[in-house]
Amino acid sequence: MREPRPFTAYRLKDLLSDIAEHVRPAFGKGKVADYIPELAKVDASKFGMAVATLDGAEVAVGDADEPFSLQSITKLFALELALNRGGDEIWTRVGKEPSGTPFNHLAILEAERGAPRNPFVNAGALTVTDYLMARVPDVSTLVLEYIRTCAGGITGGLDETVAASEMATAYQNRAIANILRVHNNLTHAPDAVVDAYCRQCAIAATVRDLARAALPLAMDGFSIHSGETVLAQRNVRRVNAVMMTCGMYDSTGSFAYRVGLPAKSGVGGGIVAIAPGQGAIAVWSPELDRAGNSLVGTIALEIFAQNTRWSIL
Ligand code: GLN
Protein backbone atom coordinates (compact mmCIF):
# COMPACT_ATOMS: atom_id res chain seq x y z
CA MET A 1 0.00 0.00 0.00
CA ARG A 2 1.17 3.46 -0.81
CA GLU A 3 1.85 5.63 2.22
CA PRO A 4 0.07 8.97 2.19
CA ARG A 5 2.76 11.66 2.18
CA PRO A 6 1.49 14.97 3.49
CA PHE A 7 3.53 17.82 2.09
CA THR A 8 3.88 20.90 4.26
CA ALA A 9 4.20 24.28 2.59
CA TYR A 10 7.78 24.32 3.83
CA ARG A 11 8.69 21.07 2.06
CA LEU A 12 6.82 22.14 -1.06
CA LYS A 13 8.86 25.33 -1.23
CA ASP A 14 12.09 23.31 -1.01
CA LEU A 15 10.87 20.96 -3.70
CA LEU A 16 9.96 23.81 -6.06
CA SER A 17 13.40 25.36 -5.56
CA ASP A 18 15.04 22.00 -6.35
CA ILE A 19 12.89 21.65 -9.47
CA ALA A 20 13.86 25.13 -10.69
CA GLU A 21 17.51 24.00 -10.49
CA HIS A 22 16.94 20.59 -12.06
CA VAL A 23 15.14 21.86 -15.16
CA ARG A 24 17.89 24.29 -16.18
CA PRO A 25 19.70 21.95 -18.63
CA ALA A 26 16.46 21.57 -20.60
CA PHE A 27 16.27 25.24 -21.58
CA GLY A 28 17.03 25.83 -25.26
CA LYS A 29 15.61 22.49 -26.39
CA GLY A 30 12.10 23.74 -27.21
CA LYS A 31 10.70 26.55 -29.31
CA VAL A 32 8.60 29.56 -28.32
CA ALA A 33 5.29 29.74 -30.24
CA ASP A 34 5.67 32.22 -33.09
CA TYR A 35 2.53 31.70 -35.18
CA ILE A 36 0.98 34.36 -32.95
CA PRO A 37 3.56 37.15 -33.53
CA GLU A 38 3.14 38.72 -30.10
CA LEU A 39 3.92 35.43 -28.31
CA ALA A 40 7.28 35.19 -30.14
CA LYS A 41 8.46 38.25 -28.17
CA VAL A 42 8.31 36.47 -24.81
CA ASP A 43 11.60 35.84 -23.01
CA ALA A 44 12.27 32.09 -23.45
CA SER A 45 14.24 31.85 -20.21
CA LYS A 46 11.25 32.55 -17.98
CA PHE A 47 10.29 29.89 -15.46
CA GLY A 48 7.70 30.08 -12.74
CA MET A 49 5.92 27.41 -10.74
CA ALA A 50 3.26 27.64 -8.03
CA VAL A 51 1.25 25.21 -5.94
CA ALA A 52 -2.03 26.00 -4.21
CA THR A 53 -3.14 23.53 -1.57
CA LEU A 54 -6.46 22.67 0.05
CA ASP A 55 -5.67 24.52 3.25
CA GLY A 56 -5.30 27.80 1.34
CA ALA A 57 -1.49 27.77 1.32
CA GLU A 58 0.34 28.93 -1.78
CA VAL A 59 4.00 28.36 -2.55
CA ALA A 60 5.88 29.56 -5.61
CA VAL A 61 9.28 29.85 -7.20
CA GLY A 62 10.86 31.80 -10.07
CA ASP A 63 8.85 34.19 -12.25
CA ALA A 64 5.67 33.45 -10.33
CA ASP A 65 4.42 37.05 -10.21
CA GLU A 66 4.65 37.76 -13.92
CA PRO A 67 1.45 37.36 -15.97
CA PHE A 68 1.77 35.24 -19.12
CA SER A 69 -0.68 34.43 -21.90
CA LEU A 70 -2.99 31.61 -20.78
CA GLN A 71 -4.06 30.73 -24.34
CA SER A 72 -5.62 27.25 -24.43
CA ILE A 73 -5.70 27.02 -20.65
CA THR A 74 -8.72 29.35 -20.88
CA LYS A 75 -10.55 26.48 -22.63
CA LEU A 76 -10.68 24.77 -19.25
CA PHE A 77 -12.54 27.66 -17.62
CA ALA A 78 -14.78 28.14 -20.67
CA LEU A 79 -15.81 24.48 -20.42
CA GLU A 80 -16.60 24.89 -16.72
CA LEU A 81 -18.77 27.90 -17.57
CA ALA A 82 -20.61 26.00 -20.33
CA LEU A 83 -21.37 23.19 -17.88
CA ASN A 84 -22.46 25.69 -15.24
CA ARG A 85 -24.74 27.49 -17.67
CA GLY A 86 -26.29 24.61 -19.58
CA GLY A 87 -25.50 21.32 -17.83
CA ASP A 88 -24.89 18.47 -20.24
CA GLU A 89 -26.19 20.36 -23.27
CA ILE A 90 -22.69 21.22 -24.53
CA TRP A 91 -21.95 17.51 -25.05
CA THR A 92 -24.52 17.40 -27.85
CA ARG A 93 -22.17 19.64 -29.84
CA VAL A 94 -18.72 18.57 -28.64
CA GLY A 95 -17.32 15.07 -27.97
CA LYS A 96 -15.19 13.72 -25.14
CA GLU A 97 -12.67 11.63 -27.04
CA PRO A 98 -8.94 12.28 -27.39
CA SER A 99 -8.11 13.51 -30.87
CA GLY A 100 -4.60 12.15 -31.35
CA THR A 101 -4.02 15.13 -33.64
CA PRO A 102 -2.58 18.63 -33.14
CA PHE A 103 -4.78 21.20 -31.41
CA ASN A 104 -5.56 23.08 -34.60
CA HIS A 105 -6.05 20.08 -36.86
CA LEU A 106 -8.56 20.61 -39.64
CA ALA A 107 -8.91 17.37 -41.63
CA ILE A 108 -10.39 15.28 -38.84
CA LEU A 109 -13.08 17.92 -38.24
CA GLU A 110 -14.10 17.86 -41.86
CA ALA A 111 -14.07 14.05 -42.01
CA GLU A 112 -16.26 13.93 -38.91
CA ARG A 113 -18.71 16.47 -40.31
CA GLY A 114 -18.06 19.36 -37.96
CA ALA A 115 -18.28 17.34 -34.74
CA PRO A 116 -15.23 18.30 -32.63
CA ARG A 117 -13.56 15.45 -30.79
CA ASN A 118 -13.37 17.32 -27.47
CA PRO A 119 -13.65 20.81 -25.93
CA PHE A 120 -9.87 21.29 -25.75
CA VAL A 121 -8.95 21.07 -29.42
CA ASN A 122 -9.56 24.40 -31.15
CA ALA A 123 -12.66 23.16 -32.99
CA GLY A 124 -14.26 22.16 -29.70
CA ALA A 125 -13.20 25.33 -27.93
CA LEU A 126 -14.63 27.49 -30.73
CA THR A 127 -17.92 25.62 -30.32
CA VAL A 128 -17.86 26.23 -26.55
CA THR A 129 -17.20 29.94 -27.17
CA ASP A 130 -20.12 30.04 -29.63
CA TYR A 131 -22.30 28.34 -26.99
CA LEU A 132 -21.36 30.98 -24.40
CA MET A 133 -21.88 33.81 -26.92
CA ALA A 134 -25.54 32.83 -27.06
CA ARG A 135 -25.75 33.50 -23.31
CA VAL A 136 -23.58 36.54 -22.62
CA PRO A 137 -22.57 39.60 -24.69
CA ASP A 138 -18.84 39.26 -23.97
CA VAL A 139 -17.29 35.81 -23.49
CA SER A 140 -13.75 36.99 -22.66
CA THR A 141 -15.06 39.13 -19.80
CA LEU A 142 -17.15 36.20 -18.55
CA VAL A 143 -14.12 33.88 -18.59
CA LEU A 144 -11.87 36.50 -16.99
CA GLU A 145 -14.37 37.20 -14.20
CA TYR A 146 -14.84 33.46 -13.62
CA ILE A 147 -11.07 32.95 -13.31
CA ARG A 148 -11.04 35.89 -10.87
CA THR A 149 -13.81 34.33 -8.78
CA CYS A 150 -12.22 30.86 -8.71
CA ALA A 151 -8.86 32.35 -7.71
CA GLY A 152 -10.23 34.90 -5.27
CA GLY A 153 -8.65 37.69 -7.37
CA ILE A 154 -5.84 37.69 -9.92
CA THR A 155 -3.07 40.09 -10.90
CA GLY A 156 -3.47 39.46 -14.64
CA GLY A 157 -6.11 40.61 -17.11
CA LEU A 158 -6.91 40.66 -20.80
CA ASP A 159 -3.89 41.49 -22.98
CA GLU A 160 -5.33 43.49 -25.89
CA THR A 161 -2.04 43.41 -27.82
CA VAL A 162 -1.95 39.59 -27.82
CA ALA A 163 -5.64 39.47 -28.76
CA ALA A 164 -5.10 41.79 -31.75
CA SER A 165 -2.00 39.86 -32.81
CA GLU A 166 -3.85 36.54 -32.82
CA MET A 167 -6.94 37.95 -34.55
CA ALA A 168 -4.76 39.31 -37.35
CA THR A 169 -3.17 35.90 -37.99
CA ALA A 170 -5.96 33.44 -37.06
CA TYR A 171 -6.15 31.87 -40.53
CA GLN A 172 -6.28 28.31 -39.27
CA ASN A 173 -8.91 29.08 -36.63
CA ARG A 174 -11.02 30.92 -39.21
CA ALA A 175 -10.85 27.83 -41.43
CA ILE A 176 -11.92 25.64 -38.51
CA ALA A 177 -14.79 27.99 -37.64
CA ASN A 178 -16.00 27.96 -41.23
CA ILE A 179 -16.03 24.15 -41.30
CA LEU A 180 -18.02 24.18 -38.04
CA ARG A 181 -20.48 26.63 -39.61
CA VAL A 182 -20.84 24.53 -42.78
CA HIS A 183 -21.97 21.67 -40.56
CA ASN A 184 -24.32 23.89 -38.52
CA ASN A 185 -22.28 23.58 -35.35
CA LEU A 186 -21.95 27.36 -34.90
CA THR A 187 -24.88 29.68 -34.31
CA HIS A 188 -22.90 32.91 -34.80
CA ALA A 189 -20.85 34.20 -37.72
CA PRO A 190 -17.53 32.29 -37.87
CA ASP A 191 -15.43 35.48 -37.76
CA ALA A 192 -17.26 36.75 -34.68
CA VAL A 193 -16.67 33.44 -32.90
CA VAL A 194 -12.95 33.47 -33.79
CA ASP A 195 -12.59 37.04 -32.53
CA ALA A 196 -14.31 36.20 -29.22
CA TYR A 197 -12.14 33.07 -28.90
CA CYS A 198 -8.91 35.01 -29.58
CA ARG A 199 -9.84 37.54 -26.88
CA GLN A 200 -10.56 34.71 -24.44
CA CYS A 201 -7.16 33.11 -25.22
CA ALA A 202 -5.42 36.46 -24.62
CA ILE A 203 -6.22 36.45 -20.91
CA ALA A 204 -2.99 36.68 -18.93
CA ALA A 205 -2.35 35.52 -15.39
CA THR A 206 0.54 34.48 -13.16
CA VAL A 207 1.26 30.88 -12.13
CA ARG A 208 0.08 31.85 -8.64
CA ASP A 209 -3.25 33.09 -10.08
CA LEU A 210 -3.58 29.98 -12.20
CA ALA A 211 -2.91 27.50 -9.40
CA ARG A 212 -5.54 29.20 -7.21
CA ALA A 213 -8.03 29.41 -10.10
CA ALA A 214 -7.74 25.65 -10.71
CA LEU A 215 -7.78 24.65 -7.05
CA PRO A 216 -11.59 24.10 -6.97
CA LEU A 217 -10.99 21.18 -9.37
CA ALA A 218 -8.98 19.53 -6.59
CA MET A 219 -11.62 20.16 -3.93
CA ASP A 220 -15.05 19.20 -5.22
CA GLY A 221 -15.68 22.55 -6.87
CA PHE A 222 -15.27 24.73 -3.80
CA SER A 223 -13.09 27.82 -4.01
CA ILE A 224 -11.38 28.31 -0.69
CA HIS A 225 -10.16 31.69 -1.93
CA SER A 226 -13.59 33.17 -2.68
CA GLY A 227 -15.61 31.02 -0.26
CA GLU A 228 -18.06 29.80 -2.90
CA THR A 229 -18.78 26.64 -4.83
CA VAL A 230 -17.86 27.47 -8.43
CA LEU A 231 -18.56 24.09 -10.04
CA ALA A 232 -20.86 21.19 -9.10
CA GLN A 233 -19.01 18.12 -7.86
CA ARG A 234 -20.31 15.92 -10.71
CA ASN A 235 -18.84 18.36 -13.21
CA VAL A 236 -15.51 18.48 -11.39
CA ARG A 237 -15.07 14.76 -12.01
CA ARG A 238 -16.02 15.17 -15.64
CA VAL A 239 -13.76 18.13 -16.32
CA ASN A 240 -10.84 16.32 -14.67
CA ALA A 241 -11.57 13.26 -16.81
CA VAL A 242 -11.56 15.29 -20.02
CA MET A 243 -8.31 16.96 -18.95
CA MET A 244 -6.76 13.57 -18.24
CA THR A 245 -7.69 12.23 -21.68
CA CYS A 246 -7.53 15.35 -23.87
CA GLY A 247 -5.73 18.15 -22.01
CA MET A 248 -2.29 17.87 -23.63
CA TYR A 249 -3.32 17.34 -27.26
CA ASP A 250 -1.50 14.59 -29.11
CA SER A 251 0.88 13.97 -26.24
CA THR A 252 -1.85 13.42 -23.65
CA GLY A 253 -0.90 9.75 -23.34
CA SER A 254 2.79 10.33 -22.77
CA PHE A 255 2.01 13.19 -20.37
CA ALA A 256 -0.27 10.87 -18.34
CA TYR A 257 2.52 8.29 -18.34
CA ARG A 258 5.09 10.79 -17.11
CA VAL A 259 3.03 12.95 -14.74
CA GLY A 260 -0.14 11.02 -13.93
CA LEU A 261 -2.34 14.06 -13.30
CA PRO A 262 -5.16 15.74 -15.25
CA ALA A 263 -3.70 18.84 -16.88
CA LYS A 264 -4.28 21.57 -19.44
CA SER A 265 -1.63 23.38 -21.44
CA GLY A 266 -1.45 26.52 -23.56
CA VAL A 267 0.94 27.74 -26.27
CA GLY A 268 1.94 30.60 -23.98
CA GLY A 269 3.98 27.93 -22.17
CA GLY A 270 1.68 27.41 -19.20
CA ILE A 271 0.43 24.11 -17.83
CA VAL A 272 -1.99 23.63 -14.95
CA ALA A 273 -2.32 20.22 -13.28
CA ILE A 274 -4.82 18.96 -10.72
CA ALA A 275 -4.06 16.60 -7.85
CA PRO A 276 -7.55 15.79 -6.53
CA GLY A 277 -7.72 16.11 -2.75
CA GLN A 278 -4.24 17.65 -2.65
CA GLY A 279 -3.87 20.81 -4.67
CA ALA A 280 -3.33 22.49 -8.02
CA ILE A 281 0.04 23.11 -9.65
CA ALA A 282 0.78 25.73 -12.32
CA VAL A 283 4.01 26.07 -14.26
CA TRP A 284 5.18 28.49 -16.94
CA SER A 285 8.10 28.16 -19.32
CA PRO A 286 7.57 29.48 -22.87
CA GLU A 287 9.57 26.96 -24.94
CA LEU A 288 7.26 24.30 -26.37
CA ASP A 289 7.72 20.71 -27.48
CA ARG A 290 6.44 19.46 -30.82
CA ALA A 291 2.89 18.98 -29.53
CA GLY A 292 2.77 22.61 -28.35
CA ASN A 293 3.14 21.87 -24.65
CA SER A 294 5.73 23.55 -22.42
CA LEU A 295 8.84 21.37 -22.63
CA VAL A 296 10.41 22.50 -19.36
CA GLY A 297 6.98 22.74 -17.70
CA THR A 298 6.34 19.07 -18.43
CA ILE A 299 9.69 18.06 -16.95
CA ALA A 300 9.00 20.20 -13.88
CA LEU A 301 5.61 18.53 -13.34
CA GLU A 302 7.14 15.10 -13.81
CA ILE A 303 9.72 15.76 -11.09
CA PHE A 304 7.01 17.27 -8.88
CA ALA A 305 4.72 14.24 -9.22
CA GLN A 306 7.56 11.78 -8.64
CA ASN A 307 8.56 13.52 -5.43
CA THR A 308 5.16 14.30 -3.93
CA ARG A 309 3.59 11.10 -5.28
CA TRP A 310 0.54 13.23 -5.96
CA SER A 311 -1.08 11.12 -8.60
CA ILE A 312 -4.48 9.74 -9.42
CA LEU A 313 -2.88 6.52 -10.63
N1 GLN B 1 -5.09 30.76 -29.17
C1 GLN B 1 -4.32 29.63 -29.57
C2 GLN B 1 -4.81 29.08 -30.89
O1 GLN B 1 -5.97 28.96 -31.08
C3 GLN B 1 -4.41 28.60 -28.50
C4 GLN B 1 -3.70 27.33 -28.85
C5 GLN B 1 -3.06 26.68 -27.68
O2 GLN B 1 -2.80 27.30 -26.65
N2 GLN B 1 -2.73 25.41 -27.83
O3 GLN B 1 -4.06 28.77 -31.76
Side-chain angles (χ1 to χ4, degrees):
M1 259 283 279
R2 182 168 59 173
E3 291 281 306
R5 300 219 312 182
F7 254 76
T8 59
Y10 180 73
R11 284 181 63 205
L12 278 176
K13 177 81 189 176
D14 274 356
L15 175 58
L16 293 195
S17 303
D18 283 354
I19 291 172
E21 280 297 311
H22 265 83
V23 296
R24 265 193 206 162
F27 281 92
K29 294 191 172 152
K31 196 171 167 300
V32 175
D34 56 6
Y35 74 102
I36 300 172
E38 204 56 30
L39 292 186
K41 297 182 183 164
V42 174
D43 178 352
S45 68
K46 295 285 178 187
F47 176 83
M49 190 166 185
V51 182
T53 53
L54 263 54
D55 54 5
E58 185 184 314
V59 291
V61 73
D63 303 304
D65 295 303
E66 194 170 321
F68 63 95
S69 196
L70 292 185
Q71 293 296 322
S72 282
I73 298 173
T74 61
K75 296 171 181 174
L76 171 62
F77 301 104
L79 173 63
E80 293 182 30
L81 283 161
L83 291 166
N84 275 345
R85 298 258 161 169
D88 288 340
E89 200 181 21
I90 190 66
W91 302 122
T92 63
R93 293 175 57 185
V94 181
K96 326 175 185 71
E97 298 297 343
S99 73
T101 54
F103 61 85
N104 55 4
H105 201 258
L106 195 60
I108 194 173
L109 180 69
E110 201 175 9
E112 296 181 356
R113 308 188 61 75
R117 279 284 174 99
N118 65 64
F120 294 154
V121 289
N122 288 11
L126 285 160
T127 309
V128 171
T129 300
D130 178 72
Y131 182 81
L132 293 172
M133 283 169 80
R135 283 151 184 85
V136 292
D138 180 356
V139 173
S140 58
T141 301
L142 177 76
V143 174
L144 178 59
E145 290 313 317
Y146 181 68
I147 292 173
R148 249 190 209 125
T149 302
C150 292
I154 64 167
T155 42
L158 200 147
D159 186 330
E160 294 287 353
T161 315
V162 171
S165 178
E166 183 167 356
M167 276 184 218
T169 53
Y171 310 114
Q172 182 86 2
N173 283 327
R174 293 192 197 282
I176 292 171
N178 279 291
I179 298 288
L180 288 166
R181 183 67 188 84
V182 165
H183 293 285
N184 291 320
N185 205 0
L186 288 188
T187 57
H188 300 86
D191 281 335
V193 177
V194 171
D195 288 351
Y197 164 84
C198 291
R199 290 180 65 74
Q200 167 198 314
C201 286
I203 292 172
T206 68
V207 282
R208 286 181 186 276
D209 297 335
L210 183 56
R212 286 198 317 279
L215 186 60
L217 291 168
M219 48 193 308
D220 291 342
F222 180 72
S223 164
I224 196 167
H225 293 285
S226 68
E228 45 183 291
T229 295
V230 293
L231 191 68
Q233 198 251 335
R234 62 196 282 270
N235 287 329
V236 171
R237 286 182 53 237
R238 292 165 168 185
V239 170
N240 280 330
V242 180
M243 266 201 280
M244 192 76 204
T245 51
C246 313
M248 306 295 288
Y249 309 114
D250 38 336
S251 54
T252 302
S254 55
F255 184 89
Y257 180 87
R258 288 171 65 183
V259 179
L261 295 172
K264 184 74 206 82
S265 65
V267 289
I271 306 175
V272 65
I274 311 299
Q278 307 274 16
I281 311 111
V283 62
W284 171 49
S285 170
E287 287 182 339
L288 308 179
D289 62 20
R290 268 188 281 167
N293 300 317
S294 173
L295 189 140
V296 170
T298 303
I299 298 170
L301 286 168
E302 187 174 16
I303 302 173
F304 181 89
Q306 277 164 357
N307 280 273
T308 55
R309 296 200 219 157
W310 288 7
S311 170
I312 62 161
L313 306 170

